[in-house]
Amino acid sequence: MKSVIIGAGVAGITAAKTIKEIDRDAEVVVIGDEMFLPYKRYLLTELLCGLLTQDDLIFLSLELLHKLDIKLRMGESVKSIEPSKKLITLHHNEIIPYDKLLIATGCIPSLGLILRPYKSYIQHYYSLNDILVLKNRLPEIKKCIVFGKGVSCLDLISGLYNLEKQITYITKGKRAHFGLKESEFKDKLHDFLEEKGIDIVTEDRIVSIDTSKHGYRVDTLRQKKLTADIIFGWDHYTPNISCIENTSIKKRLGILVNARLETSEKDIYAAGDCMEIYNPCLKKYWINFGFPNALEQGRVAGENMLGREEEYKIYETITFNLMGKSLKARWWK
Ligand SMILES: Cc1cc2nc3c(=O)[nH]c(=O)nc-3n(C[C@H](O)[C@H](O)[C@H](O)COP(=O)(O)OP(=O)(O)OC[C@H]3O[C@@H](n4cnc5c(N)ncnc54)[C@H](O)[C@@H]3O)c2cc1C
């Protein structure tokens, strides 16, 4: 049986390992569009801050890939899927057949209509490549503007703080809150960050960016004029699912799956940040973001691709550490 996995992130690689650990003879091919060995994305900020090395981030070494006999095709991207013929097509038009397919393509930070024209001025903060490029630029960076929401934004702010950068955080909200669950500290977070020296601009957003001799000039909706050496920004995270366009695989924002992580198409599964699963507490489909969730979903998908009938249990609240404070978020660690 041939299992093909799209995406060499935590979910995809965990599924590949699970399959090979159960069935040594199964053929497993993982196709990943990044040029690196599978790595732990959730530790990128630690790498940026110099707390970890690139080697510390490796999620599956070359030796283990060989030992498990997982075929990893790095730097290759899947263009399309034909569920009725059980085929996928890569960007260079190579066609690969599968018996079971897992889509584990993660999410990408995306810009809304207002910021999209300024895309080239905004630093991406998502991949190992982004961080390696950014690390080279660090010595010339003093003033940073961060615009966005969610815990990843808080993670970035915390990293820049560790690097002793001057930070201005712009939020559309009345207070900086990052969607945390911790009720007691959640309300104090804004003041906590200000005490740490972070300048917080509330109820505002970036409306235009221009370059200047000394970096960037930023205009906000409330007519603030700010300057920075670098700008980080994203409006939301979007599942990276362009490869299912023109297929009958059901989706909303992400690919819809049932508790066994099966999509609407036979023998196609989805796991990790690219999929949406029904949350009985929220009574709606949602993306169960985060590293520990992707890991568990990868395991469940791998088992089910071998014919088992495991159900994924939703983990809602995860604890993580912010500048020495223990916080709870819907995702994170
Ligand atoms: C800076 C940062 C810090 C984070 N910190 C934390 C944290 O502390 N705790 C936590 O829980 N979570 C954290 N996260 C989130 C966490 O990393 C993700 O939730 C997790 O990586 C999701 O795993 P995944 O396998 O679903 O997707 P990903 O890790 O995104 O992997 C998907 C892979 O698929 C590839 N791909 C996409 N489309 C294609 C295609 N068509 N063909 C081939 N390959 C494709 C992508 O390039 C990517 O390599 C952080 C994320 C970032 C960016």
Side-chain angles (χ1 to χ4, degrees):
M1 195 198 60
K2 181 170 179 176
S3 295
V4 174
I5 294 168
I6 314 176
V10 174
I13 290 297
T14 305
K17 271 174 71 184
T18 305
I19 295 171
K20 291 299 292 191
E21 279 161 4
I22 298 172
D23 179 2
R24 284 289 308 165
D25 299 328
E27 184 184 356
V28 177
V29 181
V30 182
I31 299 154
D33 60 4
E34 294 190 69
M35 292 300 290
F36 303 97
L37 278 174
Y39 63 89
K40 299 170 191 160
R41 191 178 303 281
Y42 70 101
L43 292 178
L44 286 175
T45 301
E46 278 77 357
L47 174 67
L48 179 73
C49 297
L51 300 172
L52 294 175
T53 66
Q54 202 174 322
D55 280 353
D56 295 327
L57 264 63
I58 292 177
F59 185 57
L60 195 64
S61 66
L62 209 50
E63 293 74 41
L64 211 50
L65 273 167
H66 286 151
K67 196 171 155 216
L68 288 169
D69 188 27
I70 295 169
K71 189 167 179 203
L72 173 63
R73 298 187 54 164
M74 287 194 288
E76 287 179 359
S77 163
V78 175
K79 185 165 71 173
S80 60
I81 304 171
E82 269 185 273
S84 59
K85 295 186 182 155
K86 291 197 160 189
L87 298 174
I88 60 166
T89 306
L90 304 190
H91 261 273
H92 57 276
N93 287 332
E94 180 184 343
I95 292 173
I96 301 179
Y98 65 83
D99 296 306
K100 302 276 176 173
L101 181 69
L102 173 66
I103 307 169
T105 46
C107 258
I108 34 168
S110 308
L111 298 172
L113 283 178
I114 297 174
L115 283 184
R116 227 168 279 166
Y118 308 105
K119 195 175 168 188
S120 59
Y121 299 152
I122 296 175
Q123 173 69 42
H124 240 257
Y125 194 73
Y126 197 73
S127 67
L128 179 52
N129 193 52
D130 296 337
I131 273 51
L132 295 178
V133 170
L134 187 57
K135 254 177 120 52
N136 280 334
R137 286 187 61 194
L138 275 180
E140 76 198 42
I141 295 168
K142 284 197 180 71
K143 287 171 84 176
C144 314
I145 289 181
V146 179
F147 169 73
K149 56 182 186 177
V151 195
S152 49
C153 210
L154 192 55
D155 182 61
L156 169 61
I157 290 173
S158 156
L160 295 171
Y161 171 82
N162 285 341
L163 290 163
E164 299 179 352
K165 304 297 176 192
Q166 196 182 320
I167 307 159
T168 300
Y169 172 57
I170 304 176
T171 173
K172 288 189 231 170
K174 288 192 174 135
R175 310 261 296 163
H177 66 83
F178 307 97
L180 294 176
K181 284 210 95 179
E182 180 79 53
S183 54
E184 197 197 313
F185 187 67
K186 190 176 75 178
D187 302 331
K188 298 185 188 145
L189 181 59
H190 184 106
D191 301 331
F192 174 77
L193 292 176
E194 283 191 329
E195 276 160 29
K196 296 277 178 190
I198 290 146
D199 178 28
I200 306 178
V201 177
T202 56
E203 295 182 279
D204 210 347
R205 59 171 304 145
I206 298 173
V207 287
S208 75
I209 305 174
D210 208 349
T211 49
S212 77
K213 223 167 43 183
H214 307 292
Y216 297 99
R217 278 195 309 264
V218 166
D219 287 330
T220 74
L221 192 62
R222 290 182 165 243
Q223 298 182 348
K224 269 193 187 295
K225 295 197 180 302
L226 306 168
T227 57
D229 303 314
I230 192 163
I231 301 163
F232 298 89
W234 57 88
D235 286 288
H236 41 76
Y237 278 92
T238 318
N240 196 357
I241 53 172
S242 55
C243 63
I244 71 154
E245 265 166 35
N246 308 318
T247 71
S248 46
I249 300 171
K250 289 213 174 98
K251 64 168 168 88
R252 285 183 352 148
L253 200 56
I255 298 169
L256 298 182
V257 294
N258 62 19
R260 292 190 295 276
L261 307 185
E262 295 161 328
T263 69
S264 58
E265 287 296 321
K266 192 168 179 311
D267 295 329
I268 303 185
Y269 299 74
D273 289 358
C274 69
M275 64 80 162
E276 283 188 62
I277 189 163
Y278 188 74
N279 183 326
C281 298
L282 297 177
K283 296 200 175 9
K284 62 174 186 181
Y285 278 85
W286 76 321
I287 301 174
N288 193 200
F289 280 116
F291 163 77
N293 303 323
L295 195 78
E296 177 62 5
Q297 289 157 23
R299 185 192 66 74
V300 171
E303 297 217 2
N304 291 344
M305 287 165 83
L306 287 173
R308 298 191 177 177
E309 300 220 326
E310 275 253 356
E311 297 214 335
Y312 173 69
K313 183 175 168 301
I314 290 174
Y315 293 91
E316 255 211 279
T317 306
I318 291 163
T319 307
F320 73 106
N321 183 297
L322 169 79
M323 301 174 197
K325 290 260 180 205
S326 171
L327 296 182
K328 282 184 190 151
R330 277 213 167 134
W331 54 298
W332 231 252
K333 195 171 187 180

